């Protein structure tokens, strides 16, 4: 058992002063505001709950910043994808474990305490399944275990190269499963994460490009009550191809043909009509927004204000992991809206409300919903995922309550986090994860080899 004491803490009911939090076996068992610290309490200034990065492709951390060179043709998502495929085709299970461990260490250092790993790099270099079909999933679980981050594993079903059941191309060979293989993969993945505290599992049909309607219907039961994530409407060309194939836009098609409800998370959903925005919001499904990656890839701007006005839920994900941080995602989300609408504080939710706080609350609730976490935040029964901020940081000086969150998201850069507890273990102290040095060394060696 551990007892923590915070001068100020963001609880589900709002900010509270002088809060004692008791952690037992990785879970918060008591939260008491308005008490002085007692002997044996570990004292900190400002506490927030950890957030989820609800959408990650861990292996892509290895190629972060490697696709920023313009080629002969227009640089688009599709040219970025060629670099990503080359990288994916070269990585061994050891490489994946190393890259994922570094990524999860960075996520924890930057305020993410749970990751939704949308995992599609399944097979051996030649495209044949490993002897254990969940070999790569086990490496993801190993990385989560080493770092301490909570894992929601989303094994991905990927079968086709484009709409209408087109054959996959050779660059996709490590991703491809039949429905039967995928069923075996999900069962083996379930076993791989079973020993991990706090872990759970769902499924991820990759996209309507990669999954035919009959396959989608066949794999949905494999979620077995867990979350279902799918990429949708990230790219204009994807919307055009979907229209040509079905006469429907991707989000429109899903809402008409799939049982989309609160268990579902539509990743990106960037390109929607007003009718799609309203219908999607009404399902209770989560929009999995990845603002930094969407900006990096030139995807477009999610209709965030319209979606929130319609009562929609969203969470954030780091997706390609080109840059990892809670403030980066939330700031980029708001800034894209400001640039589009030429006004400020677009997502604050109303007069006098803090934009940072509103974004944080949405991301906490939407992330928990999308990764099937019924209890969230600093409250009894929740996993003890706690982030403290450095009250001495210049961008937090003289701030209290919501102004602290605004200072962190909009002004503080990446060094405002002090400590992070993941499942009750203090894994980050003074802004540094205890594995930072050793895992950076291994990561750098692996990447030097992969880019050579
Ligand atoms: Zn993605």
């Amino acid at each position: 058992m551990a007892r923590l004491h915070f001068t100020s803490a963001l609880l589900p009911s709002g900010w509270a002063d002088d809060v004692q939090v008791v952690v037992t076996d990785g879970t918060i068992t008591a939260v008491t505001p308005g008490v002085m610290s007692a002997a044996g309490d570990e004292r900190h200034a400002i506490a927030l709950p950890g957030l989820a990065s609800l959408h990650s492709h861990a292996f892509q951390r290895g190629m972060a910043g490697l696709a920023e060179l313009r080629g002969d043709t227009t640089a688009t998502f599709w040219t970025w994808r060629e670099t990503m495929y080359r990288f994916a085709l070269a990585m061994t299970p050891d490489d994946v474990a190393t890259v994922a461990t570094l990524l999860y260490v960075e996520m924890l250092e930057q305020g993410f305490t749970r990751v939704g790993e949308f995992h599609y790099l399944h097979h051996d270099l030649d495209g044949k399944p490993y002897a254990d079909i969940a070999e790569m999933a086990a490496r993801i679980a190993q990385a989560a275990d080493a770092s301490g981050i909570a894992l929601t594993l989303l094994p991905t079903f990927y079968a086709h190269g484009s709409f209408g059941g087109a054959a996959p191309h050779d660059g996709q060979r490590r991703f491809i499963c039949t429905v039967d293989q995928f069923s075996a993969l999900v069962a083996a993945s379930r076993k791989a994460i079973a020993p991990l505290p706090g872990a759970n599992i769902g499924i991820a049909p990759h996209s309507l490009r990669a999954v035919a309607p009959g396959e989608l219907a066949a794999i949905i039961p494999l979620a077995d009550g867990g979350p279902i994530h799918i990429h949708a409407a990230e790219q204009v060309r994807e919307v055009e191809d979907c229209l040509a194939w079905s006469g429907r836009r991707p989000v429109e098609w899903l809402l008409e043909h799939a049982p989309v409800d609160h268990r579902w998370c539509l990743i990106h959903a960037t390109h929607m009509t007003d009718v799609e925005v309203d219908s999607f919001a009404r399902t209770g499904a989560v929009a999995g927004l990845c603002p930094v990656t969407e900006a990096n890839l030139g995807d477009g701007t999610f209709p965030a204000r319209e979606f929130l006005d319609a009562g929609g839920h969203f969470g954030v994900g780091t997706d390609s992991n080109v840059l990892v941080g809670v403030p980066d995602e939330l700031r980029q989300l708001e800034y894209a809206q400001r640039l589009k609408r030429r006004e400020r504080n677009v997502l604050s939710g109303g007069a006098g409300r803090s934009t940072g706080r509103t974004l944080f609350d949405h991301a906490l609730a939407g992330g928990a919903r999308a990764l099937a976490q019924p209890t969230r935040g600093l409250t009894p029964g929740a996993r003890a995922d706690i982030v403290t901020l450095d009250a001495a940081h210049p961008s937090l000086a003289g701030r209290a309550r919501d102004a602290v969150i605004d200072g962190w998201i909009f002004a503080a850069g990446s060094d405002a986090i002090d400590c992070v507890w993941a499942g009750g273990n203090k894994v980050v102290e003074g802004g540094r994860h205890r594995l930072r040095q050793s895992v950076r060394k291994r990561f750098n060696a692996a990447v030097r080899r992969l880019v050579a």
Side-chain angles (χ1 to χ4, degrees), residues 236-286:
V236 170
R237 192 177 105 189
E238 174 198 342
V239 176
E240 291 166 355
D241 290 353
C242 191
L243 277 165
W245 163 64
S246 67
R248 295 286 184 275
R249 305 163 60 84
V251 171
E252 188 183 20
W253 192 97
L254 282 167
L255 297 180
E256 278 182 21
H257 295 94
V260 176
D261 62 13
H262 66 281
R263 285 192 305 147
W264 284 64
C265 181
L266 307 192
I267 306 299
H268 307 302
T270 310
H271 301 287
M272 291 192 286
T273 62
D274 293 346
V275 173
E276 285 177 301
V277 166
D278 277 336
S279 318
F280 178 5
R282 274 202 301 275
T283 63
V286 175

Short mmCIF file of all heavy atoms in Angstrom, two decimals, residues 236-286:
data_model
loop_
_atom_site.label_atom_id
_atom_site.label_comp_id
_atom_site.label_asym_id
_atom_site.label_seq_id
_atom_site.Cartn_x
_atom_site.Cartn_y
_atom_site.Cartn_z
N VAL A 236 -9.13 11.92 -48.46
CA VAL A 236 -10.14 12.23 -49.47
C VAL A 236 -10.20 11.12 -50.53
O VAL A 236 -11.29 10.69 -50.94
CB VAL A 236 -9.84 13.59 -50.13
CG1 VAL A 236 -10.72 13.82 -51.35
CG2 VAL A 236 -10.02 14.72 -49.12
N ARG A 237 -9.03 10.61 -50.93
CA ARG A 237 -9.04 9.56 -51.94
C ARG A 237 -9.76 8.31 -51.44
O ARG A 237 -10.44 7.61 -52.19
CB ARG A 237 -7.60 9.19 -52.36
CG ARG A 237 -7.58 8.32 -53.61
CD ARG A 237 -6.16 8.02 -54.04
NE ARG A 237 -5.79 6.65 -53.70
CZ ARG A 237 -4.55 6.17 -53.81
NH1 ARG A 237 -3.58 6.94 -54.22
NH2 ARG A 237 -4.29 4.92 -53.49
N GLU A 238 -9.61 8.05 -50.14
CA GLU A 238 -10.30 6.90 -49.55
C GLU A 238 -11.82 7.09 -49.64
O GLU A 238 -12.56 6.15 -49.93
CB GLU A 238 -9.83 6.76 -48.09
CG GLU A 238 -10.54 5.71 -47.28
CD GLU A 238 -10.35 5.94 -45.77
OE1 GLU A 238 -9.44 6.68 -45.38
OE2 GLU A 238 -11.16 5.37 -45.02
N VAL A 239 -12.27 8.31 -49.39
CA VAL A 239 -13.70 8.59 -49.48
C VAL A 239 -14.18 8.41 -50.93
O VAL A 239 -15.21 7.76 -51.19
CB VAL A 239 -14.02 10.03 -48.99
CG1 VAL A 239 -15.49 10.36 -49.20
CG2 VAL A 239 -13.63 10.20 -47.52
N GLU A 240 -13.38 8.91 -51.88
CA GLU A 240 -13.76 8.78 -53.30
C GLU A 240 -13.81 7.32 -53.73
O GLU A 240 -14.73 6.88 -54.42
CB GLU A 240 -12.76 9.55 -54.18
CG GLU A 240 -12.87 11.07 -54.01
CD GLU A 240 -11.68 11.84 -54.59
OE1 GLU A 240 -10.70 11.20 -55.06
OE2 GLU A 240 -11.72 13.07 -54.57
N ASP A 241 -12.80 6.56 -53.30
CA ASP A 241 -12.76 5.13 -53.66
C ASP A 241 -13.93 4.37 -53.04
O ASP A 241 -14.49 3.46 -53.65
CB ASP A 241 -11.44 4.49 -53.21
CG ASP A 241 -10.25 4.99 -54.03
OD1 ASP A 241 -10.46 5.72 -55.02
OD2 ASP A 241 -9.10 4.66 -53.65
N CYS A 242 -14.30 4.76 -51.83
CA CYS A 242 -15.41 4.10 -51.14
C CYS A 242 -16.73 4.41 -51.85
O CYS A 242 -17.58 3.54 -52.03
CB CYS A 242 -15.45 4.55 -49.69
SG CYS A 242 -16.57 3.58 -48.65
N LEU A 243 -16.88 5.66 -52.27
CA LEU A 243 -18.07 6.06 -53.03
C LEU A 243 -18.15 5.29 -54.34
O LEU A 243 -19.23 4.81 -54.73
CB LEU A 243 -18.03 7.57 -53.31
CG LEU A 243 -18.53 8.48 -52.18
CD1 LEU A 243 -18.11 9.92 -52.42
CD2 LEU A 243 -20.06 8.38 -52.04
N ALA A 244 -17.02 5.15 -55.02
CA ALA A 244 -17.00 4.43 -56.30
C ALA A 244 -17.36 2.96 -56.10
O ALA A 244 -18.05 2.35 -56.92
CB ALA A 244 -15.62 4.55 -56.95
N TRP A 245 -16.94 2.42 -54.98
CA TRP A 245 -17.20 1.00 -54.68
C TRP A 245 -18.64 0.75 -54.24
O TRP A 245 -19.29 -0.19 -54.70
CB TRP A 245 -16.22 0.52 -53.58
CG TRP A 245 -16.60 -0.73 -52.89
CD1 TRP A 245 -16.70 -1.98 -53.46
CD2 TRP A 245 -16.98 -0.89 -51.51
NE1 TRP A 245 -17.10 -2.89 -52.50
CE2 TRP A 245 -17.28 -2.24 -51.31
CE3 TRP A 245 -17.07 0.00 -50.44
CZ2 TRP A 245 -17.67 -2.75 -50.07
CZ3 TRP A 245 -17.46 -0.49 -49.20
CH2 TRP A 245 -17.77 -1.85 -49.02
N SER A 246 -19.15 1.62 -53.37
CA SER A 246 -20.42 1.30 -52.69
C SER A 246 -21.50 2.36 -52.86
O SER A 246 -22.65 2.13 -52.45
CB SER A 246 -20.15 1.14 -51.20
OG SER A 246 -19.78 2.39 -50.62
N GLY A 247 -21.14 3.52 -53.39
CA GLY A 247 -22.11 4.62 -53.41
C GLY A 247 -22.28 5.27 -52.05
O GLY A 247 -23.15 6.12 -51.87
N ARG A 248 -21.49 4.86 -51.07
CA ARG A 248 -21.55 5.43 -49.73
C ARG A 248 -20.17 5.91 -49.31
O ARG A 248 -19.16 5.35 -49.72
CB ARG A 248 -22.03 4.38 -48.71
CG ARG A 248 -23.44 3.90 -48.93
CD ARG A 248 -24.46 4.97 -48.51
NE ARG A 248 -25.82 4.48 -48.63
CZ ARG A 248 -26.54 4.50 -49.76
NH1 ARG A 248 -26.01 4.97 -50.88
NH2 ARG A 248 -27.78 4.05 -49.77
N ARG A 249 -20.13 6.92 -48.45
CA ARG A 249 -18.88 7.37 -47.87
C ARG A 249 -18.50 6.42 -46.74
O ARG A 249 -19.37 5.72 -46.20
CB ARG A 249 -19.06 8.80 -47.35
CG ARG A 249 -19.56 9.77 -48.42
CD ARG A 249 -20.12 11.04 -47.80
NE ARG A 249 -19.09 11.71 -47.02
CZ ARG A 249 -18.19 12.54 -47.56
NH1 ARG A 249 -18.23 12.82 -48.84
NH2 ARG A 249 -17.28 13.10 -46.81
N PRO A 250 -17.21 6.36 -46.30
CA PRO A 250 -16.83 5.34 -45.31
C PRO A 250 -17.63 5.38 -44.00
O PRO A 250 -18.13 4.34 -43.54
CB PRO A 250 -15.34 5.64 -45.04
CG PRO A 250 -14.86 6.30 -46.29
CD PRO A 250 -16.03 7.09 -46.81
N VAL A 251 -17.78 6.57 -43.40
CA VAL A 251 -18.52 6.63 -42.14
C VAL A 251 -19.99 6.28 -42.39
O VAL A 251 -20.61 5.52 -41.63
CB VAL A 251 -18.37 8.02 -41.49
CG1 VAL A 251 -19.30 8.18 -40.29
CG2 VAL A 251 -16.91 8.26 -41.07
N GLU A 252 -20.53 6.80 -43.49
CA GLU A 252 -21.92 6.51 -43.88
C GLU A 252 -22.12 5.00 -44.04
O GLU A 252 -23.08 4.42 -43.53
CB GLU A 252 -22.17 7.24 -45.20
CG GLU A 252 -23.57 7.25 -45.71
CD GLU A 252 -23.65 7.96 -47.09
OE1 GLU A 252 -22.61 8.10 -47.78
OE2 GLU A 252 -24.76 8.34 -47.46
N TRP A 253 -21.19 4.35 -44.74
CA TRP A 253 -21.29 2.90 -44.97
C TRP A 253 -21.30 2.16 -43.64
O TRP A 253 -22.12 1.28 -43.40
CB TRP A 253 -20.13 2.41 -45.86
CG TRP A 253 -20.36 1.00 -46.36
CD1 TRP A 253 -20.87 0.64 -47.57
CD2 TRP A 253 -20.10 -0.23 -45.64
NE1 TRP A 253 -20.96 -0.74 -47.65
CE2 TRP A 253 -20.49 -1.29 -46.49
CE3 TRP A 253 -19.61 -0.53 -44.38
CZ2 TRP A 253 -20.38 -2.64 -46.12
CZ3 TRP A 253 -19.50 -1.87 -44.00
CH2 TRP A 253 -19.88 -2.91 -44.86
N LEU A 254 -20.37 2.53 -42.75
CA LEU A 254 -20.27 1.83 -41.46
C LEU A 254 -21.54 2.00 -40.64
O LEU A 254 -22.04 1.05 -40.04
CB LEU A 254 -19.07 2.35 -40.67
CG LEU A 254 -17.72 1.80 -41.12
CD1 LEU A 254 -16.57 2.61 -40.49
CD2 LEU A 254 -17.58 0.31 -40.75
N LEU A 255 -22.08 3.22 -40.62
CA LEU A 255 -23.28 3.46 -39.82
C LEU A 255 -24.48 2.70 -40.38
O LEU A 255 -25.38 2.30 -39.65
CB LEU A 255 -23.57 4.96 -39.73
CG LEU A 255 -22.48 5.80 -39.04
CD1 LEU A 255 -22.86 7.27 -39.00
CD2 LEU A 255 -22.18 5.30 -37.62
N GLU A 256 -24.47 2.46 -41.70
CA GLU A 256 -25.58 1.72 -42.31
C GLU A 256 -25.43 0.21 -42.18
O GLU A 256 -26.41 -0.52 -42.09
CB GLU A 256 -25.68 2.06 -43.81
CG GLU A 256 -26.42 3.34 -44.10
CD GLU A 256 -26.53 3.61 -45.61
OE1 GLU A 256 -26.42 2.66 -46.43
OE2 GLU A 256 -26.70 4.79 -45.96
N HIS A 257 -24.18 -0.28 -42.21
CA HIS A 257 -23.97 -1.72 -42.36
C HIS A 257 -23.33 -2.42 -41.17
O HIS A 257 -23.29 -3.64 -41.12
CB HIS A 257 -23.10 -2.01 -43.59
CG HIS A 257 -23.74 -1.62 -44.88
ND1 HIS A 257 -23.53 -0.39 -45.47
CD2 HIS A 257 -24.60 -2.29 -45.69
CE1 HIS A 257 -24.23 -0.32 -46.59
NE2 HIS A 257 -24.89 -1.45 -46.75
N ALA A 258 -22.78 -1.67 -40.22
CA ALA A 258 -22.11 -2.31 -39.07
C ALA A 258 -22.82 -1.88 -37.79
O ALA A 258 -23.40 -0.79 -37.73
CB ALA A 258 -20.64 -1.89 -39.03
N PRO A 259 -22.79 -2.75 -36.75
CA PRO A 259 -23.51 -2.42 -35.51
C PRO A 259 -22.74 -1.44 -34.63
O PRO A 259 -22.35 -1.73 -33.50
CB PRO A 259 -23.64 -3.79 -34.83
CG PRO A 259 -22.44 -4.56 -35.30
CD PRO A 259 -22.14 -4.08 -36.70
N VAL A 260 -22.50 -0.23 -35.18
CA VAL A 260 -21.66 0.76 -34.48
C VAL A 260 -22.39 1.27 -33.23
O VAL A 260 -23.48 1.81 -33.34
CB VAL A 260 -21.32 1.94 -35.43
CG1 VAL A 260 -20.54 3.01 -34.68
CG2 VAL A 260 -20.53 1.44 -36.64
N ASP A 261 -21.74 1.07 -32.08
CA ASP A 261 -22.31 1.57 -30.82
C ASP A 261 -21.17 2.01 -29.91
O ASP A 261 -20.05 2.24 -30.38
CB ASP A 261 -23.19 0.50 -30.15
CG ASP A 261 -22.41 -0.76 -29.77
OD1 ASP A 261 -21.15 -0.73 -29.81
OD2 ASP A 261 -23.03 -1.78 -29.44
N HIS A 262 -21.42 2.13 -28.59
CA HIS A 262 -20.42 2.68 -27.67
C HIS A 262 -19.14 1.85 -27.60
O HIS A 262 -18.14 2.31 -27.08
CB HIS A 262 -21.03 2.80 -26.27
CG HIS A 262 -21.33 1.47 -25.66
ND1 HIS A 262 -22.45 0.73 -25.98
CD2 HIS A 262 -20.64 0.72 -24.79
CE1 HIS A 262 -22.43 -0.40 -25.31
NE2 HIS A 262 -21.35 -0.44 -24.58
N ARG A 263 -19.17 0.61 -28.09
CA ARG A 263 -17.95 -0.21 -28.06
C ARG A 263 -17.02 0.13 -29.22
O ARG A 263 -15.89 -0.33 -29.28
CB ARG A 263 -18.31 -1.70 -28.19
CG ARG A 263 -18.89 -2.31 -26.94
CD ARG A 263 -18.92 -3.83 -27.09
NE ARG A 263 -19.63 -4.25 -28.28
CZ ARG A 263 -19.31 -5.34 -29.01
NH1 ARG A 263 -18.29 -6.09 -28.68
NH2 ARG A 263 -20.02 -5.66 -30.07
N TRP A 264 -17.51 0.89 -30.17
CA TRP A 264 -16.73 1.16 -31.39
C TRP A 264 -15.95 2.46 -31.29
O TRP A 264 -16.36 3.40 -30.62
CB TRP A 264 -17.67 1.25 -32.61
CG TRP A 264 -18.17 -0.08 -33.09
CD1 TRP A 264 -18.97 -0.94 -32.40
CD2 TRP A 264 -17.90 -0.69 -34.36
NE1 TRP A 264 -19.22 -2.05 -33.17
CE2 TRP A 264 -18.58 -1.92 -34.37
CE3 TRP A 264 -17.17 -0.31 -35.49
CZ2 TRP A 264 -18.54 -2.78 -35.47
CZ3 TRP A 264 -17.14 -1.16 -36.59
CH2 TRP A 264 -17.80 -2.38 -36.57
N CYS A 265 -14.84 2.46 -32.02
CA CYS A 265 -14.04 3.68 -32.15
C CYS A 265 -13.67 3.82 -33.62
O CYS A 265 -13.03 2.93 -34.19
CB CYS A 265 -12.79 3.59 -31.28
SG CYS A 265 -11.74 5.04 -31.34
N LEU A 266 -14.13 4.91 -34.24
CA LEU A 266 -13.78 5.18 -35.64
C LEU A 266 -12.55 6.09 -35.63
O LEU A 266 -12.62 7.24 -35.15
CB LEU A 266 -14.93 5.85 -36.39
CG LEU A 266 -16.30 5.16 -36.34
CD1 LEU A 266 -17.24 5.78 -37.38
CD2 LEU A 266 -16.22 3.67 -36.55
N ILE A 267 -11.43 5.54 -36.11
CA ILE A 267 -10.18 6.29 -36.07
C ILE A 267 -10.17 7.31 -37.22
O ILE A 267 -10.44 6.95 -38.37
CB ILE A 267 -8.97 5.33 -36.20
CG1 ILE A 267 -9.03 4.22 -35.14
CG2 ILE A 267 -7.66 6.13 -36.11
CD1 ILE A 267 -9.00 4.69 -33.70
N HIS A 268 -9.84 8.54 -36.88
CA HIS A 268 -9.77 9.71 -37.78
C HIS A 268 -11.18 10.28 -38.06
O HIS A 268 -11.50 11.34 -37.59
CB HIS A 268 -9.03 9.42 -39.09
CG HIS A 268 -7.68 8.83 -38.90
ND1 HIS A 268 -6.70 9.45 -38.17
CD2 HIS A 268 -7.13 7.65 -39.33
CE1 HIS A 268 -5.61 8.71 -38.17
NE2 HIS A 268 -5.83 7.60 -38.85
N ALA A 269 -11.96 9.59 -38.89
CA ALA A 269 -13.28 10.11 -39.31
C ALA A 269 -13.16 11.57 -39.73
O ALA A 269 -14.02 12.40 -39.42
CB ALA A 269 -14.31 9.92 -38.19
N THR A 270 -12.09 11.87 -40.44
CA THR A 270 -11.76 13.26 -40.77
C THR A 270 -12.77 13.87 -41.74
O THR A 270 -13.19 15.02 -41.57
CB THR A 270 -10.36 13.32 -41.41
OG1 THR A 270 -9.45 12.60 -40.56
CG2 THR A 270 -9.88 14.74 -41.59
N HIS A 271 -13.14 13.07 -42.74
CA HIS A 271 -13.96 13.63 -43.83
C HIS A 271 -15.40 13.13 -43.70
O HIS A 271 -15.72 12.00 -44.05
CB HIS A 271 -13.34 13.25 -45.17
CG HIS A 271 -11.93 13.76 -45.30
ND1 HIS A 271 -11.66 15.09 -45.49
CD2 HIS A 271 -10.74 13.14 -45.18
CE1 HIS A 271 -10.34 15.27 -45.52
NE2 HIS A 271 -9.76 14.09 -45.33
N MET A 272 -16.25 14.00 -43.14
CA MET A 272 -17.65 13.64 -42.94
C MET A 272 -18.55 14.77 -43.40
O MET A 272 -18.19 15.94 -43.30
CB MET A 272 -17.93 13.39 -41.44
CG MET A 272 -17.28 12.15 -40.88
SD MET A 272 -17.93 11.74 -39.22
CE MET A 272 -17.15 12.98 -38.21
N THR A 273 -19.74 14.41 -43.86
CA THR A 273 -20.77 15.42 -44.12
C THR A 273 -21.46 15.77 -42.79
O THR A 273 -21.28 15.06 -41.79
CB THR A 273 -21.85 14.86 -45.07
OG1 THR A 273 -22.47 13.73 -44.41
CG2 THR A 273 -21.24 14.39 -46.39
N ASP A 274 -22.27 16.81 -42.78
CA ASP A 274 -23.00 17.19 -41.56
C ASP A 274 -23.90 16.04 -41.10
O ASP A 274 -24.06 15.81 -39.90
CB ASP A 274 -23.85 18.44 -41.81
CG ASP A 274 -22.99 19.67 -42.07
OD1 ASP A 274 -21.77 19.60 -41.79
OD2 ASP A 274 -23.52 20.69 -42.55
N VAL A 275 -24.49 15.34 -42.06
CA VAL A 275 -25.37 14.22 -41.70
C VAL A 275 -24.57 13.11 -41.03
O VAL A 275 -24.99 12.54 -40.01
CB VAL A 275 -26.11 13.69 -42.96
CG1 VAL A 275 -26.89 12.42 -42.63
CG2 VAL A 275 -27.01 14.77 -43.53
N GLU A 276 -23.38 12.82 -41.56
CA GLU A 276 -22.53 11.80 -40.94
C GLU A 276 -22.12 12.22 -39.52
O GLU A 276 -22.09 11.40 -38.61
CB GLU A 276 -21.27 11.57 -41.79
CG GLU A 276 -21.52 10.76 -43.06
CD GLU A 276 -20.24 10.63 -43.89
OE1 GLU A 276 -19.70 11.67 -44.30
OE2 GLU A 276 -19.80 9.51 -44.12
N VAL A 277 -21.78 13.50 -39.36
CA VAL A 277 -21.37 13.99 -38.03
C VAL A 277 -22.48 13.73 -37.02
O VAL A 277 -22.25 13.18 -35.93
CB VAL A 277 -21.03 15.51 -38.10
CG1 VAL A 277 -20.94 16.11 -36.70
CG2 VAL A 277 -19.72 15.73 -38.85
N ASP A 278 -23.71 14.08 -37.36
CA ASP A 278 -24.84 13.90 -36.44
C ASP A 278 -25.11 12.43 -36.17
O ASP A 278 -25.31 12.03 -35.01
CB ASP A 278 -26.10 14.54 -37.03
CG ASP A 278 -26.15 16.03 -36.76
OD1 ASP A 278 -25.51 16.47 -35.77
OD2 ASP A 278 -26.81 16.76 -37.52
N SER A 279 -25.12 11.62 -37.23
CA SER A 279 -25.44 10.20 -37.04
C SER A 279 -24.37 9.50 -36.22
O SER A 279 -24.67 8.68 -35.35
CB SER A 279 -25.58 9.48 -38.38
OG SER A 279 -26.26 10.26 -39.29
N PHE A 280 -23.10 9.81 -36.50
CA PHE A 280 -21.99 9.22 -35.76
C PHE A 280 -22.10 9.60 -34.28
O PHE A 280 -22.03 8.75 -33.38
CB PHE A 280 -20.68 9.71 -36.39
CG PHE A 280 -19.41 9.26 -35.75
CD1 PHE A 280 -19.38 8.35 -34.70
CD2 PHE A 280 -18.18 9.75 -36.21
CE1 PHE A 280 -18.17 7.95 -34.11
CE2 PHE A 280 -16.98 9.34 -35.64
CZ PHE A 280 -16.99 8.46 -34.57
N ALA A 281 -22.31 10.89 -34.00
CA ALA A 281 -22.38 11.35 -32.61
C ALA A 281 -23.48 10.60 -31.85
O ALA A 281 -23.31 10.24 -30.69
CB ALA A 281 -22.62 12.85 -32.55
N ARG A 282 -24.58 10.33 -32.52
CA ARG A 282 -25.71 9.67 -31.85
C ARG A 282 -25.45 8.21 -31.49
O ARG A 282 -26.13 7.66 -30.63
CB ARG A 282 -26.96 9.75 -32.74
CG ARG A 282 -27.76 11.04 -32.55
CD ARG A 282 -29.21 10.86 -32.99
NE ARG A 282 -29.30 10.47 -34.40
CZ ARG A 282 -29.30 11.35 -35.41
NH1 ARG A 282 -29.25 12.64 -35.16
NH2 ARG A 282 -29.37 10.93 -36.66
N THR A 283 -24.47 7.56 -32.15
CA THR A 283 -24.22 6.14 -31.85
C THR A 283 -23.57 5.93 -30.49
O THR A 283 -23.60 4.83 -29.95
CB THR A 283 -23.26 5.52 -32.89
OG1 THR A 283 -21.99 6.19 -32.80
CG2 THR A 283 -23.80 5.59 -34.30
N GLY A 284 -22.91 6.97 -29.95
CA GLY A 284 -22.15 6.77 -28.71
C GLY A 284 -20.76 6.23 -28.96
O GLY A 284 -19.98 6.04 -28.02
N ALA A 285 -20.42 5.96 -30.22
CA ALA A 285 -19.06 5.52 -30.55
C ALA A 285 -18.09 6.69 -30.38
O ALA A 285 -18.50 7.86 -30.34
CB ALA A 285 -19.02 5.00 -31.99
N VAL A 286 -16.81 6.36 -30.28
CA VAL A 286 -15.79 7.38 -30.05
C VAL A 286 -15.08 7.70 -31.37
O VAL A 286 -14.79 6.80 -32.16
CB VAL A 286 -14.75 6.86 -29.02
CG1 VAL A 286 -13.61 7.86 -28.84
CG2 VAL A 286 -15.43 6.57 -27.69
#
